[in-house]
Amino acid sequence: MENDVLRNIALSYSPMIDRNRAVVATRLTVSALRTGGPLQADQLLAAIAEVWPEGGTRVSLNVMSETLLNDLLRAKPLSNVMIEIPSFIACDPVNTDAILQLQGNTLLLHGRPPSMLPRELLPRFKYSIVDLADDRRRNEVAGQAEAAGVTRSVGFVQSGVRTTAEMEASFGRGAVAILGWPIEDVVSQSGGRAGQPDMAVLVELIRRVDDAEDVDKLDAVLKRDPTLAFQLLRYINSPAFGLSVEISSFRHAIMLLGYKRLKRWLALLLATASKDVNMRPVMFASVRRGLFMEQLVANSGDEEMRGEVFICGVFSLLDRLFNKPFDELLKTIPVPERVYQALVESAGPYHPYLELTKAVETETAPVINEYAETLLMSLLEVNRAVLGTLTMAAQLE
């Protein structure tokens, strides 16, 4: 039976990143865009359970529809589903019993309460979500709250963080995690470490694979960095790749996959090769961009197109990783013409797919809908691509 809720909502995702720069959960934002019949929480939970089964990794649900959220509070989410509850709903006595019944789930209080939170509810919230723009801690001198005798029994997760500098400042104020993609200033913060040996090896490998050089020459290049060889084989043997046999060597990979399919996994490695911990959100985004763009064309594109949009998504943040503009960067890294058009000229057939991908990361539901219509795609198709992407990404980690 078709999941009707996916026809009328826009799904978007972002990471929840702890102070070690590890992604500890995925935030899934659910925006109601079309009004047909009432949105069913059980259908939403069924779709989520396919990606995050019980006992698996954690997901935080940010439901933008008050009706759907009220229905969700009275459903039975799996224990690994965290629920964000807006403060105005938490403060309404009508919802107190329903919130108390969610014993197996982690609850997050979203926003500053407009009135006093019912006393019995306070222990139910493990964290509060505080937007950076509303964070009063920013104006406090270090230790000022403690000196004044102010105690905060609920830890906080910072939202609205867009730069590495903001991320580091949030952790300095005691945030247990941040929500979002802190990638806007990552180049200046990282120092543009494009000269790492593993990246140089990968760029050379991609050029040689593009030229279809002899297997022995390619193998000799890869042996200069054994860690990369291990990572490559780990990716190729992951469930996301769907192979029925285990690949045991780089030579075996070339023989079984061929040069074109191998190139996409080298592209993925290039986008995730940085050792800088502050680059992890960039690498996290790169993988999901490639997988999402490939999912978007899964039913309409041929194998060549699927491979090219994957590389387009994975490479779409290389300018940050290498601290170079795309027109300069892609002189050394060969890419198909349609990928070049999207990354350098913001044009061509792949550009709308890339813009839709960015909209899904920034939780801008109207823009998601706009680009879906431009690509003649339904919300159901886009939402399936989102959930498929997150499933495959989890298999790669």
Side-chain angles (χ1 to χ4, degrees):
M1 186 176 67
E2 202 62 78
N3 194 325
D4 289 332
V5 73
L6 296 181
R7 298 179 182 276
N8 300 304
I9 62 175
L11 296 178
S12 51
Y13 57 85
S14 58
M16 183 179 291
I17 303 168
D18 69 10
R19 61 178 57 251
N20 296 318
R21 301 341 185 230
V23 176
V24 293
T26 297
R27 182 195 214 188
L28 190 69
T29 295
V30 182
S31 302
L33 281 182
R34 296 176 184 167
T35 54
L39 300 176
Q40 300 295 322
D42 59 344
Q43 292 184 354
L44 176 64
L45 291 173
I48 289 170
E50 293 181 11
V51 184
W52 296 279
E54 190 159 24
T57 55
R58 304 171 83 192
V59 57
S60 178
L61 280 186
N62 177 32
V63 179
M64 307 298 285
S65 162
E66 186 173 348
T67 302
L68 182 57
L69 179 58
N70 282 324
D71 194 15
L72 181 66
L73 293 180
R74 289 153 181 83
K76 294 183 178 179
L78 298 177
S79 59
N80 57 324
V81 175
M82 301 185 291
I83 301 175
E84 300 180 23
I85 302 179
S87 56
F88 73 91
I89 289 181
C91 289
D92 189 339
V94 171
N95 299 310
T96 299
D97 287 342
I99 294 173
L100 288 173
Q101 291 301 314
L102 292 169
Q103 292 295 333
N105 299 96
T106 297
L107 304 185
L108 310 176
L109 182 65
H110 195 166
R112 188 180 300 167
S115 59
M116 187 69 69
L117 192 70
R119 184 184 299 273
E120 64 269 32
L121 286 187
L122 188 59
R124 290 293 298 115
F125 290 98
K126 186 167 185 179
Y127 304 117
S128 62
I129 297 176
V130 180
D131 192 81
L132 183 62
D134 298 329
D135 190 358
R136 288 174 291 188
R137 297 169 180 82
R138 289 194 301 169
N139 298 320
E140 291 178 354
V141 177
Q144 185 180 61
E146 291 77 3
V150 177
T151 59
R152 293 175 173 129
S153 58
V154 179
F156 76 100
V157 175
Q158 193 96 79
S159 62
V161 175
R162 293 291 177 264
T163 70
T164 304
E166 291 173 348
M167 173 175 65
E168 291 177 341
S170 294
F171 288 132
R173 289 190 297 273
V176 296
I178 64 159
L179 282 169
W181 305 90
I183 60 178
E184 291 182 5
D185 70 338
V186 73
V187 167
S188 60
Q189 293 293 324
S190 70
R193 301 177 185 179
Q196 295 184 59
D198 49 4
M199 287 189 169
V201 169
L202 277 167
V203 171
E204 183 178 350
L205 265 177
I206 291 172
R207 285 201 302 265
R208 289 174 180 261
V209 168
D210 196 62
D211 293 336
E213 286 195 6
D214 183 75
V215 175
D216 289 333
K217 292 182 179 179
L218 297 176
D219 200 30
V221 174
L222 189 64
K223 285 178 178 176
R224 284 162 35 193
D225 198 318
T227 302
L228 280 180
F230 171 80
Q231 288 178 301
L232 177 64
L233 293 178
R234 182 175 66 85
Y235 273 140
I236 292 176
N237 286 311
S238 69
F241 202 80
L243 293 178
S244 58
V245 298
E246 183 175 347
I247 292 180
S248 57
S249 68
F250 187 57
R251 178 185 293 273
H252 187 195
I254 296 174
M255 291 174 60
L256 189 61
L257 303 176
Y259 287 88
K260 283 189 176 180
R261 293 183 70 194
L262 182 62
K263 186 176 177 181
R264 59 175 269 146
W265 293 96
L266 291 174
L268 185 61
L269 279 177
L270 182 62
T272 57
S274 175
K275 301 299 190 297
D276 187 340
V277 293
N278 282 336
M279 286 291 185
R280 286 179 183 169
V282 180
M283 296 186 285
F284 183 91
S286 296
V287 173
R288 281 147 187 77
R289 283 188 180 188
L291 293 172
F292 181 60
M293 289 182 68
E294 184 182 36
Q295 288 285 304
L296 287 174
V297 303
N299 296 323
S300 58
D302 55 26
E303 184 176 353
E304 181 179 18
M305 182 181 183
R306 291 195 297 271
E308 288 186 1
V309 296
F310 177 86
I311 289 175
C312 184
V314 167
F315 277 5
S316 63
L317 290 167
L318 280 190
D319 57 336
R320 287 172 167 82
L321 286 169
F322 280 81
N323 195 14
K324 290 182 180 179
F326 278 117
D327 57 348
E328 180 182 343
L329 186 61
L330 298 185
K331 291 177 182 177
T332 58
I333 305 173
V335 296
E337 176 62 25
R338 291 179 289 189
V339 175
Y340 184 92
Q341 289 174 340
L343 298 182
V344 178
E345 302 169 359
S346 298
Y350 298 160
H351 182 247
Y353 291 101
L354 183 56
E355 291 303 303
L356 174 56
T357 302
K358 294 175 181 178
V360 165
E361 292 175 355
T362 53
E363 303 177 340
T364 48
V367 181
I368 293 172
N369 193 43
E370 177 187 341
Y371 276 104
E373 291 178 348
T374 298
L375 293 166
L376 302 179
M377 298 185 71
S378 67
L379 286 173
L380 175 64
E381 291 173 302
V382 175
N383 290 329
R384 281 176 172 170
V386 169
L387 295 175
T389 295
L390 297 173
T391 300
M392 294 183 71
Q395 293 172 343
L396 288 172
E397 295 169 349

